Amino acid sequence: MTNAPNEPVSAEALAKAVAAIFEGCGVAPEAAAIVAEDLVAADIEGVASHGVMLVPMYVERLKAGSVAKGSEGQVVSDNDAAVVIDAGDVLGQLTARQAVAIAVERARKFGMATVAVRNAFHFGTAGRYARMMADAGAVGIVMSNTRPLMPATGGAQPLTGNNPLAIAVPSAGEFRPEVDMALSAVAMGKIRNAAAAGQSIPEGWAADKDGAPTTDPQAAIEGMLLPAAGPKGFGLAFMVDLLTGGLSGGNIGAEVNGLYGNMATPYRCSNVFIAIDVGHFVPEEQFEGRAKSELDRVSASRRAPGVERVFAPGELAYAARTGANGRAKVSPAAWKSLVETGASLGVDVQSYF
């Protein structure tokens, strides 16, 4: 397979290739496999902005030393249902899973638990970790901050990030009710994808460096993202920033560095993972049954003219996972970068397919 694939590729093979790349950077095999699995999971769901397109940037940071090669962070404060982890710049997928495991275990004991993480690196999709908590019988809430990317309404200065927020809950149905969203109109990764493909972006996604709306993805990258729902999105992002950085004792606002900035400068965002054990409040079966009923009510609701199907929260992601049949779509640009990155480490990506 010398050229970019025209069809989705084996997700298993893709994960093995990506893991080999991280191993080539000095990451332990088990840790490399975890990070690869979580990145490929995003591509399976069609969220390319959080998938293997990130591998070259991760590798560049590993080489530059701004991302550590360890497998977990250090617990620096442990007060039963309140735990703080210093990630120490380890790959974010690893500390996210570490935080999820602690949050779920403590929630089973105390009913609720919060794990805050400081000095963290990018962890991919927040919803994946919220869903892990839901799969364990807990309400999962995940949030993170990023470098300032959005202005206040009417402003022309980036003040807070497009800070992601995800919530997932247990359900007796085929999939979990789930919300996973960046608090900008769109994730920066989608704008970078548009720039790489030479495409324009829709109005309302971003503004240039002077605060003027733009459809030019490069001007958007150099400028600002616009908040989802205007002041509502900005206000919620502002509060996520305060909660993540404030509870972890980590970075807030302009203290968080650019993900695509100086590759030798640590990113150091802050995260919060909250687990609420359903069984401490009501019988699990009762909660899960009601969640399923509500999902069914949404899916069966009356449709507007011309609409074939109404999707409940979490249903589209579930449909993407189950419909992928173990395959992931990779864009030509992402494939080219992945092959080149692998070659720089002596990894022949194409040999895995």
Side-chain angles (χ1 to χ4, degrees):
M1 189 183 295
T2 57
N3 300 313
N6 295 320
E7 301 293 332
V9 299
S10 162
E12 181 180 1
L14 183 61
K16 287 180 178 179
V18 171
I21 288 174
F22 288 131
E23 286 186 54
C25 291
V27 178
E30 184 177 353
I34 288 170
V35 177
E37 178 186 338
D38 287 356
L39 288 173
V40 172
D43 285 310
I44 291 173
E45 290 187 6
V47 189
S49 59
H50 290 66
V52 299
M53 70 160 282
L54 295 168
V55 172
M57 180 268 290
Y58 280 22
V59 167
E60 192 173 349
R61 284 188 167 277
L62 282 161
K63 288 180 176 179
S66 63
V67 170
K69 299 173 184 178
S71 298
E72 64 179 10
Q74 179 183 2
V75 174
V76 293
S77 177
D78 188 339
N79 291 298
D80 298 329
V83 176
V84 178
I85 294 173
D86 188 323
D89 305 314
V90 167
L91 287 161
Q93 290 81 359
L94 302 174
T95 52
R97 286 187 178 227
Q98 181 184 6
V100 164
I102 294 172
V104 169
E105 184 269 327
R106 300 299 173 86
R108 285 181 179 144
K109 184 175 181 180
F110 300 108
M112 299 177 64
T114 299
V115 180
V117 184
R118 64 181 183 231
N119 297 325
F121 183 61
H122 190 268
F123 61 27
T125 56
R128 181 164 175 80
Y129 308 106
R131 192 165 60 247
M132 285 179 181
M133 290 189 271
D135 288 343
V139 174
I141 303 172
V142 178
M143 56 188 100
S144 179
N145 62 6
T146 74
R147 73 175 175 92
L149 291 166
M150 304 193 305
T153 303
Q157 175 186 352
L159 296 174
T160 191
N162 59 335
N163 307 329
L165 170 66
I167 305 172
V169 305
S171 170
E174 293 181 326
F175 62 94
R176 313 288 185 237
E178 178 187 335
V179 171
D180 181 5
M181 57 184 177
L183 293 171
S184 56
V186 70
M188 179 61 83
K190 291 186 178 180
I191 294 178
R192 292 189 183 280
N193 278 343
Q199 301 171 344
S200 62
I201 59 174
E203 293 183 3
W205 276 19
D208 64 20
K209 60 184 179 181
D210 297 317
T214 184
T215 59
D216 180 348
Q218 191 56 45
I221 291 169
E222 296 171 0
M224 295 167 282
L225 297 177
L226 293 176
K232 295 178 181 179
F234 177 82
L236 189 51
F238 184 82
M239 297 306 292
V240 169
D241 203 2
L242 286 177
L243 287 172
T244 54
L247 292 177
S248 69
N251 291 352
I252 295 177
E255 297 169 352
V256 181
N257 297 308
L259 190 60
Y260 285 88
N262 186 335
M263 293 290 114
T265 301
Y267 182 47
R268 292 190 175 161
C269 65
S270 304
N271 318 143
V272 165
F273 298 79
I274 301 171
I276 304 171
D277 188 82
V278 170
H280 275 75
F281 296 84
V282 295
E284 292 181 25
E285 296 79 5
Q286 175 185 322
F287 183 95
E288 293 179 359
R290 297 184 75 178
K292 180 182 182 302
S293 294
E294 288 304 295
L295 289 173
D296 292 344
R297 191 166 68 91
V298 174
S299 298
S301 63
R302 187 160 55 94
R303 301 183 297 275
V307 175
E308 293 184 3
R309 184 175 176 183
V310 175
F311 290 92
E315 190 171 5
L316 276 173
Y318 171 75
R321 289 194 300 274
T322 55
N325 294 318
R327 304 186 74 78
K329 185 176 181 180
V330 183
S331 73
W335 179 263
K336 181 175 183 291
S337 294
L338 192 67
V339 170
E340 291 174 351
T341 298
S344 73
L345 293 162
V347 176
D348 182 359
V349 168
Q350 297 174 118
S351 69
Y352 285 82
F353 298 89

